Structures are given as C-alpha cells and as structure tokens.
Amino acid sequence: MIDFSLRTEHPHNTKTDAVAVAVHEGQKLSWAAEELDRASKGALSAALKTASFSCRVGAVLPLLNVAGVSAPRVYVYGAGASSALSAKDARATGKAIASCANEHSVGEVAVFALSEGAVDAMTQMVLGATDAVYRFDETKGAASKAKAEKPSLKRVRFGMPEGTKDAAKALKVAVASAAGIAFTKHLGNLPGNHCTPTRLGDEAKKLGKSHGLKVTVMDRKQIEKLGMGSFLSVTNGSDEPPRFIVMEYAGGKKGEAPTVFVGKGITFDTGGISLKPAAEMDHMKWDMSGAGTVFGVMRAVGEIKPKQNIVGIVAACENMPSGRATKPGDVFTSMSGQTIEVLNTDAEGRLILCDALTYAERFKPKAVIDIATLTGACVVALGSVNAGLFSSNDKLADDILASGKKMNDRFWRMPLEEDYQEALNSNFADMANVAGREGGAITAACFLWRFAKKYPWAHLDIAGVAYKGSGKEKGATGRPVAALVDYVMANE
Ligand code: BES
Ligand code: MN
Ligand code: ZN
C-alpha cells in the first residue's frame, strides 16, 4: 500500500522525487503549473510547446531538471478541457501518474490537484494510484516472485489549492477505500482451492483483530442449529465445510439500528448437478465476490471508524456435484420456514442468501444491502459498466445510485415488481428457485425479496462488474467497495 498524505509546500520548492501538476487543453496552466512556470522563468510552458503535449486526460509528460524547481522531475498531467476532472478521469490520471513513477523507479510523488473539485479528484487519484501498484502473487512460485518487478512508488503527497476544506477526512476515507478494494481483489483472485470457506472464516477473524470488529464464524453444526436448510442444501455435494460469518462494527450508540451488508460467498460454483459447461468455468472462483466486497467494506469501516453500527454477513460454501449433492426437484426448508423446490442447482446464490437475509432480521437493521454475482442474465442486460440494483425502498435505491455515480462505481436500477413473482410458483413447495429464461436477473431478485420483507432492502447483482474475465487485466475489480464505502460515509 502506498503511503498517502497531504503537504503544504509550494510546487517549486517541494522536496520530493517528482512534482505532478495539471495542464488543460490548449496548454492552459493550472494554478500549480503556473507556479512552476513562474519559478522556472517560463521553462515549463516552453517545454510544453516543444513537446506539443496533448493535455489529454491520462497523458503524462515527464520533464527533467527544470530550472528553479527543487524536485528533479516534473510530471505534467493532462487535465482535458473542463475545469474539474470527472471521477473516471481523475482515477485514470492517478493511475497514469503512478505508472509513470514506477517506470522511472520514483519512490515519491507530490501531486498538485486542480482548483476545482480537488477533494473528489484526490479521492479518485488515491484509488487509481493504488490500482497501479496492485500485484497478485500469493500463488506465484518463488522464482517468479523474485523476478517480478516491484512497484517503486511508496509515497504520494497531495498538494491542495489554498482554502481547501475537509481534505484530511476525505483522504482518510479514500485510503481506507483503496485498501478495502485491494483486499477484495486479493480474496477474489485467490483460486478456489486456496480461498475456501474455511479461509474466508480465518480472514474474518484476522480482520476482526486488526480492525476492531466482533467476528463470529459458525460451522456446519451451528448453521444446522439456526435451521438454514436452504444454505446447507448448496453444501451437500462439497467436501469443504461451510462457514457462516458475522462481522460487527460498533461505532454508533448501543442499540442503534445498523446497516447490514450481506455477501454471496460461493468459493467455487461448478453449478452442482446442473453442471456448468467447461468453457471459462475458472471464472466461478470469483463467485465469492459479493463476500469479498463485504470484507473490503468492513475493512474500510474498521479503519475509518464512522459513528455508526455496521454489520457484515457472509454465507460461504462451495457448489459441487457428488453422490450426496442436491438433485433437481429436491425440496428444502429455509430458515424463514418457507420451502423451496430446487429445480436448478446452479441457481445456488439465492439459496444461500435467503437464509442470510433471514438471519439479518435479528439486527433490526435500518437497511440491508446484499451483494452477489447472482445471474448471467444481469451480465447480458447491463454488461460490465453498471451493476444491477434492485430495491424495495426508493430512498435506499437513490442513495446507492448517488454513491455509485459519485465514485464512478455505477448501478442501474432494475424493476422489482410483484408481477414477476408468479414465475417462481411451484406445485411442490412454496416456491421454485428458478423461473424461465425471461428476466432472469429480476426473478432472482424477486426470489430474495420474499426473504427481505422486514427492513428496507437493496440487492446488488455484480456478476458483470466484479471481475474482468480475460486479457492482461484478467482479475477482480474490487467493485463495488468504493460506492458502498461512500454510501456509508454519506450517512455520517
Ligand atoms: N454464479 C452464477 C452467476 C454468474 C454468471 C456470475 C456469470 C458471473 C458470471 C450463478 O450462480 C448462476 O449460475 N446463475 C444461473 C442462474 C440460472 C440457473 C437461473 C445463471 O445465471 O445462469
Ligand atoms: Mn450458479
Ligand atoms: Zn453462483
């Protein structure tokens, strides 16, 4: 993790390895670039001209030994046409500056923000720079670990325009979010044979110790005692013992209603007896990304210490075929007492979440938000830009949408309406676990809704946004940790 902080020197006399200042299209200098240009007696603007620097967002022009500037390097970063950077552009800029620093073996950069939207841009730059130095190597061999280039960038100092308010608080939140995202990505990228339900339970205990959370990890016996017949039906085919994990952060008054996050923690989804096709089945190691999000958010919360009560719940197990596995047509009784006919064992996410949603009732929550890689149908509907948002409460939905927009970690609200419920009718139980192919993301949400009637509730289907499935960037994204941390902080 990069060490981020604020600093107050002027750009030209900042003692660091590189100072980064913004220039807009038309080579219009930001306040910090102007200060450097004055100190260098016009050398900066002259260099920009010679380089015919585009000033496009994401472009960085490195200059060496600029006269009158203490730092040996000046990074001019493109700030585009508008006066403030959008969340997306600021994130890309942070990533570009950090990548540039790594290329030059630079250890510390002082980044000077634009005068408009400086605090929000700083937040995004923290996320972008952290992303640039993220490496996954837990499952690489010793030789490739030794050979791998280590990112040089260790420290980023932010220079804010004069009169900026609340920068320290925003930085603390941003840094906690960034570390939460990295944690979520790490858990997601671990393969199924490493990231087992047992490992998730151990990670929760570790997190509890390091971040001041009360953690309860329940095993099969305790889950049976709670009557979670639906959750346990998914574990029947697996030799990996399940875990039901509860992480409690108490920053609010005793007895104050908490916000509860519930994560789908399928550590590998083969589909069970309704087996998935072989192609890209490795993606199903990311089927615990909802749980990973809960871990990331709880880590951030434990670091920020808001004055609220917040609970993270994770239902973790594997979905495997075997002689003991659940068969299509089997009927189980959920913790709520409602019975479920399992017509497709690959619709397992809802089967574990429904019992977790019932469990959440005991906290008398002010809101429950579940996060799950729930349906391929959601990927078809929304692609990888927006996650699906379903909610029984307009205020909750609007708040989540707003945080998603602000952080460019976006959601699109989908319908949650009684008319879709009919498709889940069963002749042999209170409901079936699947409807037809039509509106698959919606009927999945409707299934969960039947277990979430006692509190304001939102369901986030992150199947399309939690990971990139191919290419150089193949891996977990850490979404939507940033949006959910912002949602929590908007409640402060
Ligand atoms: N984990 C999958 C959903 C998924 C699909 C996540 C693609 C990420 C990428 C989920 O358990 C599943 O298999 N859902 C089924 C539901 C169907 C059987 C009703 C699906 O989407 O095909
Ligand atoms: Mn499945
Ligand atoms: Zn699944």
Side-chain angles (χ1 to χ4, degrees):
M1 195 57 197
I2 298 171
D3 172 45
F4 293 96
S5 61
L6 291 163
R7 73 181 308 149
T8 51
E9 296 102 315
H10 296 294
H12 82 275
N13 62 13
T14 298
K15 290 201 171 41
T16 183
D17 301 326
V19 286
V21 297
V23 181
H24 292 283
E25 270 167 29
Q27 305 199 337
K28 198 175 143 309
L29 307 183
S30 65
W31 65 274
E34 216 160 65
E35 202 264 357
L36 282 192
D37 200 41
R38 246 179 284 125
S40 69
K41 301 202 167 64
L44 183 86
S45 44
L48 282 172
K49 257 194 208 107
T50 309
S52 41
F53 183 56
S54 73
C55 306
R56 256 187 296 105
V57 166
V60 179
L61 175 69
L63 303 171
L64 297 175
N65 302 321
V66 179
V69 178
S70 297
R73 297 172 194 79
V74 173
Y75 289 166
V76 181
Y77 65 91
S82 51
S83 52
L85 289 166
S86 68
K88 185 179 177 184
D89 286 351
R91 182 113 46 134
T93 302
K95 197 167 178 177
I97 293 170
S99 302
C100 192
N102 284 329
E103 232 156 78
H104 304 153
S105 305
V106 158
E108 179 180 298
V109 181
V111 180
F112 289 86
L114 292 169
S115 44
E116 260 180 64
V119 172
D120 288 345
M122 174 181 70
T123 297
Q124 294 299 332
M125 285 186 179
V126 167
L127 302 185
T130 306
D131 198 30
V133 302
Y134 174 81
R135 302 285 185 276
F136 180 86
D137 67 0
E138 185 178 323
T139 46
K140 299 265 178 79
S144 52
K145 267 187 201 168
K147 207 172 69 205
E149 56 84 36
K150 305 256 177 322
S152 62
L153 185 62
K154 296 287 181 291
R155 284 172 308 280
V156 172
R157 313 287 184 223
F158 286 102
M160 305 303 277
E162 237 171 278
T164 305
K165 282 201 205 80
D166 301 327
K169 176 81 187 292
L171 184 61
K172 186 176 172 192
V173 175
V175 169
S177 270
I181 288 170
F183 187 34
T184 300
K185 289 193 338 190
H186 186 73
L187 293 175
N189 289 335
L190 283 170
N193 65 328
H194 287 244
C195 185
T196 59
T198 305
R199 166 86 182 251
L200 286 180
D202 294 345
E203 292 287 344
K205 284 184 201 150
K206 234 172 50 189
L207 185 64
K209 285 218 176 76
S210 61
H211 284 69
L213 313 174
K214 180 185 161 204
V215 172
T216 314
V217 178
M218 290 175 244
D219 61 14
R220 173 182 293 281
K221 268 221 174 83
Q222 292 162 294
I223 300 166
E224 273 168 7
K225 222 166 147 199
L226 286 167
M228 296 186 169
S230 184
F231 175 23
L232 287 170
S233 78
V234 178
T235 73
N236 285 345
S238 171
D239 290 338
E240 286 293 342
R243 291 288 182 263
F244 191 79
I245 303 165
V246 182
M247 297 173 267
E248 295 172 69
Y249 167 77
K253 292 193 198 79
K254 213 175 159 179
E256 199 175 283
T259 299
V260 178
F261 295 101
V262 176
K264 169 179 174 181
I266 296 290
T267 57
F268 198 84
D269 181 12
T270 66
I273 295 299
S274 313
L275 194 64
K276 286 184 180 297
E280 299 190 329
M281 207 205 272
D282 70 294
H283 290 189
M284 288 302 113
K285 74 172 183 177
W286 285 299
D287 212 20
M288 39 55 69
S289 295
T293 299
V294 172
F295 275 94
V297 170
M298 294 310 290
R299 191 192 189 285
V301 162
E303 199 166 306
I304 300 165
K305 302 202 184 331
K307 293 189 187 62
Q308 300 172 44
N309 296 328
I310 297 169
V311 179
I313 298 177
V314 163
C317 71
E318 257 186 3
N319 186 21
M320 296 288 281
S322 94
R324 276 172 284 104
T326 293
K327 303 167 291 297
D330 287 357
V331 174
F332 299 93
T333 305
S334 67
M335 186 182 180
S336 72
Q338 300 177 87
T339 64
I340 303 160
E341 183 188 14
V342 178
L343 288 177
N344 188 323
T345 64
D346 198 12
E348 84 298 340
R350 62 198 79 181
L351 294 175
I352 70 171
L353 287 171
C354 68
D355 281 341
L357 289 171
T358 301
Y359 185 87
E361 287 172 9
R362 70 183 53 201
F363 295 103
K364 301 194 170 42
K366 71 172 176 199
V368 176
I369 302 174
D370 79 65
I371 309 108
T373 47
L374 202 64
T375 66
C378 194
V379 189
V380 173
L382 297 174
S384 59
V385 178
N386 285 282
L389 160 66
F390 301 81
S391 184
S392 55
N393 183 289
D394 289 341
K395 163 90 167 71
L396 178 58
D398 287 345
D399 288 350
I400 296 171
L401 286 172
S403 287
K405 265 216 178 88
K406 180 173 164 207
M407 301 307 290
N408 190 39
D409 187 1
R410 279 139 63 196
F411 306 96
W412 194 265
R413 191 164 180 191
M414 302 275 281
L416 187 73
E417 293 172 333
E418 283 301 333
D419 309 61
Y420 292 97
Q421 289 286 15
E422 214 182 282
L424 290 167
N425 285 349
S426 160
N427 285 354
F428 309 105
D430 295 339
M431 71 196 86
N433 77 326
V434 289
R437 274 169 43 82
E438 278 182 17
I442 305 169
T443 52
C446 280
F447 179 96
L448 296 177
W449 191 15
R450 295 172 181 231
F451 301 84
K453 297 288 186 190
K454 301 209 169 128
Y455 39 67
W457 165 73
H459 157 60
L460 306 176
D461 193 333
I462 60 166
V465 307
Y467 63 90
K468 291 193 179 80
S470 62
K472 236 186 106 219
E473 302 257 274
K474 182 173 180 175
T477 61
R479 286 182 65 183
V481 171
L484 293 179
V485 172
D486 184 78
Y487 167 80
V488 167
M489 293 317 292
N491 277 324
E492 273 289 274

